[in-house]
Amino acid sequence: MKDRCFFGYGSLVNRRTHDYDGRQPARVTGWRRAWRRSPLRDVCYLTAVPARDDYIEGLIAAVPDGNWSALDARERAYARVPLGSEISYAAGDLEVVLYAIADGDHHAPTDRNPVLLSYIDVVVQGYLAEFGTDGVTHFFETTEGWHAPILDDRAAPIYPRAQTLSTEERAIVDEGLSRLSVRVRR
């Protein structure tokens, strides 16, 4: 029987946000990340959208005993999408899904639906730990929707899995956002 796993491409890349076992880096081809708003949330979150010539690096991890309830609750605005040959990883016989907002249930960001800086911090911290600065650069350069306003909530994080970043990690996030000329609201 195949082990059941999820593919994380946002906050689930950050090992500090969960304790799932069997974690290993992976790559999914034919998808890209995008900032999107959903009627289920007031702020924008990452989702995966089909993109034939793109890929997403991320982290796969096992779902203990195939019990998806806790992860489904965490990812409540998303649907599980089974992956097949588009995913590559180092070892194991795995059945892998990614969570994505269903087509038609997400929309482009607006000024009323900002991206939380504390959420970006968590994602970048995860990519830095797993893929180094090249992974962070790839995250910034290949994610759609950076025209969304960024809400600077670092002093009082709104994101429920916010993490403390080192001075160096914060500088990497800030530099990536600066390269993209995003709007950060204080």
Side-chain angles (χ1 to χ4, degrees):
M1 183 165 130
K2 293 183 176 190
D3 288 333
R4 293 187 177 130
C5 296
F6 64 84
F7 173 78
Y9 55 86
S11 64
L12 286 167
V13 173
N14 191 325
R15 296 175 188 242
R16 296 177 185 184
T17 71
H18 62 88
D19 60 358
Y20 292 101
D21 292 327
R23 299 173 288 200
Q24 62 177 296
R27 177 183 284 196
V28 173
T29 57
W31 293 83
R32 76 179 311 158
R33 286 173 305 276
W35 294 110
R36 292 290 189 261
R37 63 184 169 90
S38 158
L40 300 175
R41 297 193 169 159
D42 293 332
V43 296
C44 286
Y45 275 76
L46 285 172
T47 192
V49 295
R52 188 178 63 182
D53 296 328
D54 286 330
Y55 68 92
I56 303 171
E57 292 176 316
L59 195 68
I60 58 175
V63 178
D65 302 320
N67 182 353
W68 292 91
S69 59
L71 194 54
D72 284 347
R74 173 183 168 148
E75 304 298 317
R76 67 180 165 71
Y78 300 91
R80 277 191 255 149
V81 178
L83 296 172
S85 62
E86 66 268 38
I87 186 158
S88 56
Y89 48 87
D93 189 18
L94 308 176
E95 180 180 310
V96 184
V97 303
L98 66 73
Y99 282 90
I101 302 172
D103 247 1
D105 289 345
H106 63 83
H107 310 281
T110 69
D111 285 344
R112 290 185 292 174
N113 307 98
V115 176
L116 300 175
L117 184 55
S118 60
Y119 180 41
I120 296 170
D121 285 346
V122 166
V123 175
V124 171
Q125 185 182 53
Y127 272 94
L128 187 60
E130 297 298 326
F131 301 101
T133 55
D134 288 344
V136 171
T137 299
H138 185 262
F139 166 74
F140 279 117
E141 291 178 353
T142 63
T143 300
E144 293 177 10
W146 289 111
H147 63 278
I150 309 298
L151 178 61
D152 183 352
D153 66 330
R154 276 185 179 152
I158 298 168
Y159 184 64
R161 286 170 287 284
Q163 301 293 311
T164 302
L165 272 65
S166 69
T167 302
E168 178 186 359
E169 290 168 331
R170 277 192 311 276
I172 289 169
V173 172
D174 294 346
E175 192 272 327
L177 294 172
S178 176
R179 269 196 333 266
L180 295 169
S181 301
V182 301
R183 294 177 292 152
V184 178
R185 295 190 325 213
R186 308 277 175 217

Short mmCIF file of all heavy atoms in Angstrom, two decimals, residues 14 55 57 59 63 68 71 82 85-86 94 99 105 111 119-120 123 127 136 146 153 159 166 169 172 180:
data_model
loop_
_atom_site.label_atom_id
_atom_site.label_comp_id
_atom_site.label_asym_id
_atom_site.label_seq_id
_atom_site.Cartn_x
_atom_site.Cartn_y
_atom_site.Cartn_z
N ASN A 14 7.48 25.11 5.55
CA ASN A 14 8.16 25.46 6.81
C ASN A 14 7.88 24.38 7.85
O ASN A 14 6.76 24.27 8.36
CB ASN A 14 7.66 26.83 7.29
CG ASN A 14 8.49 27.38 8.41
OD1 ASN A 14 8.98 26.64 9.26
ND2 ASN A 14 8.64 28.69 8.44
N TYR A 55 7.03 24.89 -12.65
CA TYR A 55 7.14 23.88 -11.60
C TYR A 55 7.17 24.58 -10.25
O TYR A 55 7.48 25.76 -10.15
CB TYR A 55 8.38 23.01 -11.77
CG TYR A 55 9.69 23.72 -11.55
CD1 TYR A 55 10.30 23.74 -10.29
CD2 TYR A 55 10.33 24.38 -12.59
CE1 TYR A 55 11.51 24.40 -10.09
CE2 TYR A 55 11.53 25.04 -12.40
CZ TYR A 55 12.12 25.04 -11.14
OH TYR A 55 13.31 25.70 -10.94
N GLU A 57 8.70 23.89 -6.34
CA GLU A 57 9.43 23.10 -5.37
C GLU A 57 8.67 23.19 -4.05
O GLU A 57 8.04 24.20 -3.75
CB GLU A 57 10.85 23.64 -5.19
CG GLU A 57 11.69 23.45 -6.42
CD GLU A 57 13.06 24.07 -6.29
OE1 GLU A 57 13.15 25.21 -5.79
OE2 GLU A 57 14.03 23.41 -6.68
N LEU A 59 7.63 20.60 -0.23
CA LEU A 59 7.94 19.57 0.75
C LEU A 59 6.78 18.58 0.80
O LEU A 59 5.62 19.00 0.84
CB LEU A 59 8.11 20.23 2.13
CG LEU A 59 8.76 19.43 3.23
CD1 LEU A 59 10.23 19.20 2.93
CD2 LEU A 59 8.60 20.18 4.55
N VAL A 63 0.82 11.67 5.92
CA VAL A 63 -0.38 11.93 6.72
C VAL A 63 -0.58 10.68 7.58
O VAL A 63 -0.89 9.61 7.05
CB VAL A 63 -1.60 12.21 5.83
CG1 VAL A 63 -2.85 12.43 6.67
CG2 VAL A 63 -1.32 13.40 4.93
N TRP A 68 -6.85 12.47 7.36
CA TRP A 68 -6.72 13.79 6.77
C TRP A 68 -7.44 14.88 7.55
O TRP A 68 -7.35 16.06 7.21
CB TRP A 68 -7.27 13.78 5.34
CG TRP A 68 -6.45 12.96 4.41
CD1 TRP A 68 -6.61 11.63 4.13
CD2 TRP A 68 -5.33 13.39 3.64
NE1 TRP A 68 -5.66 11.22 3.23
CE2 TRP A 68 -4.87 12.28 2.91
CE3 TRP A 68 -4.69 14.61 3.49
CZ2 TRP A 68 -3.79 12.36 2.04
CZ3 TRP A 68 -3.61 14.70 2.62
CH2 TRP A 68 -3.17 13.57 1.91
N LEU A 71 -5.38 18.00 8.81
CA LEU A 71 -4.82 18.75 7.68
C LEU A 71 -5.94 19.40 6.87
O LEU A 71 -5.81 20.54 6.43
CB LEU A 71 -3.95 17.84 6.82
CG LEU A 71 -3.05 18.52 5.81
CD1 LEU A 71 -2.14 19.56 6.45
CD2 LEU A 71 -2.20 17.48 5.08
N PRO A 82 -5.22 15.11 -6.38
CA PRO A 82 -4.25 14.02 -6.49
C PRO A 82 -3.18 14.33 -7.53
O PRO A 82 -3.47 14.90 -8.58
CB PRO A 82 -5.08 12.81 -6.94
CG PRO A 82 -6.51 13.22 -6.83
CD PRO A 82 -6.56 14.72 -6.81
N SER A 85 2.29 11.54 -12.13
CA SER A 85 3.66 11.59 -12.65
C SER A 85 4.25 13.00 -12.61
O SER A 85 5.46 13.16 -12.80
CB SER A 85 3.69 11.07 -14.08
OG SER A 85 2.89 11.89 -14.91
N GLU A 86 3.44 14.02 -12.33
CA GLU A 86 3.99 15.38 -12.29
C GLU A 86 4.79 15.66 -11.04
O GLU A 86 5.45 16.68 -10.93
CB GLU A 86 2.89 16.43 -12.47
CG GLU A 86 1.87 16.51 -11.37
CD GLU A 86 0.63 15.64 -11.59
OE1 GLU A 86 0.76 14.52 -12.11
OE2 GLU A 86 -0.46 16.08 -11.25
N LEU A 94 4.65 6.52 -2.89
CA LEU A 94 3.77 7.49 -2.24
C LEU A 94 2.56 7.84 -3.11
O LEU A 94 2.66 7.90 -4.34
CB LEU A 94 4.54 8.77 -1.95
CG LEU A 94 5.85 8.63 -1.18
CD1 LEU A 94 6.53 9.99 -1.06
CD2 LEU A 94 5.61 8.03 0.19
N TYR A 99 -2.97 20.70 -2.01
CA TYR A 99 -4.18 21.47 -1.71
C TYR A 99 -4.18 22.70 -2.60
O TYR A 99 -3.19 23.42 -2.67
CB TYR A 99 -4.19 21.91 -0.23
CG TYR A 99 -4.57 20.81 0.73
CD1 TYR A 99 -3.61 19.98 1.29
CD2 TYR A 99 -5.90 20.61 1.07
CE1 TYR A 99 -3.97 18.99 2.18
CE2 TYR A 99 -6.26 19.62 1.97
CZ TYR A 99 -5.29 18.80 2.52
OH TYR A 99 -5.65 17.83 3.40
N ASP A 105 -13.35 29.21 -7.61
CA ASP A 105 -13.54 29.62 -6.20
C ASP A 105 -12.48 30.59 -5.73
O ASP A 105 -12.46 30.97 -4.56
CB ASP A 105 -13.54 28.40 -5.28
CG ASP A 105 -14.79 27.55 -5.43
OD1 ASP A 105 -15.77 28.05 -6.02
OD2 ASP A 105 -14.79 26.41 -4.95
N ASP A 111 -7.30 45.37 -3.40
CA ASP A 111 -6.82 46.17 -2.28
C ASP A 111 -7.50 45.79 -0.97
O ASP A 111 -6.96 46.01 0.10
CB ASP A 111 -7.04 47.66 -2.55
CG ASP A 111 -6.03 48.21 -3.55
OD1 ASP A 111 -5.00 47.54 -3.79
OD2 ASP A 111 -6.28 49.30 -4.09
N TYR A 119 2.67 35.88 6.86
CA TYR A 119 2.51 34.66 6.06
C TYR A 119 3.68 34.52 5.09
O TYR A 119 4.29 33.45 4.97
CB TYR A 119 1.17 34.72 5.33
CG TYR A 119 0.82 33.54 4.46
CD1 TYR A 119 1.06 32.23 4.85
CD2 TYR A 119 0.19 33.73 3.24
CE1 TYR A 119 0.70 31.16 4.05
CE2 TYR A 119 -0.18 32.68 2.44
CZ TYR A 119 0.08 31.39 2.85
OH TYR A 119 -0.29 30.34 2.04
N ILE A 120 4.03 35.61 4.41
CA ILE A 120 5.18 35.56 3.50
C ILE A 120 6.43 35.19 4.28
O ILE A 120 7.24 34.37 3.82
CB ILE A 120 5.37 36.93 2.79
CG1 ILE A 120 4.17 37.24 1.90
CG2 ILE A 120 6.66 36.94 1.98
CD1 ILE A 120 4.15 38.66 1.35
N VAL A 123 6.55 31.44 4.81
CA VAL A 123 6.84 30.72 3.57
C VAL A 123 8.31 30.87 3.19
O VAL A 123 9.00 29.88 2.90
CB VAL A 123 5.92 31.21 2.43
CG1 VAL A 123 6.30 30.56 1.11
CG2 VAL A 123 4.46 30.93 2.77
N TYR A 127 11.28 28.05 2.66
CA TYR A 127 12.05 27.86 1.42
C TYR A 127 13.54 28.05 1.66
O TYR A 127 14.36 27.33 1.09
CB TYR A 127 11.54 28.79 0.31
CG TYR A 127 10.41 28.15 -0.45
CD1 TYR A 127 9.09 28.40 -0.10
CD2 TYR A 127 10.66 27.25 -1.48
CE1 TYR A 127 8.05 27.78 -0.77
CE2 TYR A 127 9.63 26.62 -2.15
CZ TYR A 127 8.33 26.89 -1.79
OH TYR A 127 7.30 26.25 -2.44
N VAL A 136 14.40 30.55 -2.50
CA VAL A 136 13.68 31.79 -2.17
C VAL A 136 13.50 32.64 -3.43
O VAL A 136 12.42 33.16 -3.70
CB VAL A 136 14.41 32.57 -1.06
CG1 VAL A 136 13.79 33.95 -0.86
CG2 VAL A 136 14.40 31.78 0.25
N TRP A 146 1.77 39.31 -7.23
CA TRP A 146 2.50 40.24 -6.36
C TRP A 146 1.96 41.67 -6.46
O TRP A 146 2.41 42.55 -5.74
CB TRP A 146 3.99 40.22 -6.65
CG TRP A 146 4.64 38.95 -6.20
CD1 TRP A 146 5.17 37.96 -6.99
CD2 TRP A 146 4.86 38.53 -4.85
NE1 TRP A 146 5.68 36.95 -6.20
CE2 TRP A 146 5.51 37.27 -4.89
CE3 TRP A 146 4.55 39.09 -3.59
CZ2 TRP A 146 5.86 36.57 -3.73
CZ3 TRP A 146 4.91 38.38 -2.45
CH2 TRP A 146 5.55 37.14 -2.52
N ASP A 153 2.11 43.10 9.14
CA ASP A 153 1.59 42.71 10.45
C ASP A 153 2.66 42.07 11.32
O ASP A 153 2.35 41.36 12.27
CB ASP A 153 0.39 41.77 10.30
CG ASP A 153 0.76 40.42 9.69
OD1 ASP A 153 1.73 40.36 8.89
OD2 ASP A 153 0.10 39.42 10.02
N TYR A 159 -1.37 36.13 10.97
CA TYR A 159 -1.27 34.76 10.47
C TYR A 159 -1.12 33.79 11.64
O TYR A 159 -0.24 33.98 12.49
CB TYR A 159 -0.08 34.64 9.50
CG TYR A 159 0.02 33.29 8.87
CD1 TYR A 159 -1.00 32.83 8.03
CD2 TYR A 159 1.09 32.46 9.12
CE1 TYR A 159 -0.93 31.58 7.47
CE2 TYR A 159 1.17 31.20 8.55
CZ TYR A 159 0.15 30.76 7.73
OH TYR A 159 0.21 29.51 7.17
N SER A 166 14.89 35.48 12.01
CA SER A 166 16.15 36.13 12.36
C SER A 166 16.26 37.43 11.57
O SER A 166 15.51 37.66 10.60
CB SER A 166 17.33 35.22 12.02
OG SER A 166 17.46 35.10 10.61
N GLU A 169 16.90 36.51 7.99
CA GLU A 169 15.71 36.03 7.28
C GLU A 169 14.78 37.18 6.91
O GLU A 169 14.26 37.23 5.79
CB GLU A 169 14.96 35.00 8.14
CG GLU A 169 15.69 33.68 8.28
CD GLU A 169 15.09 32.78 9.34
OE1 GLU A 169 14.50 33.30 10.32
OE2 GLU A 169 15.22 31.53 9.20
N ILE A 172 16.10 38.98 3.94
CA ILE A 172 15.90 38.24 2.69
C ILE A 172 14.47 38.45 2.19
O ILE A 172 14.25 38.66 0.99
CB ILE A 172 16.23 36.74 2.89
CG1 ILE A 172 17.75 36.57 3.06
CG2 ILE A 172 15.70 35.89 1.75
CD1 ILE A 172 18.19 35.20 3.51
N LEU A 180 10.59 43.11 -6.30
CA LEU A 180 9.34 43.02 -7.04
C LEU A 180 8.54 44.31 -7.02
O LEU A 180 7.48 44.40 -7.63
CB LEU A 180 8.47 41.89 -6.46
CG LEU A 180 9.04 40.48 -6.62
CD1 LEU A 180 8.24 39.49 -5.78
CD2 LEU A 180 9.06 40.06 -8.07
#
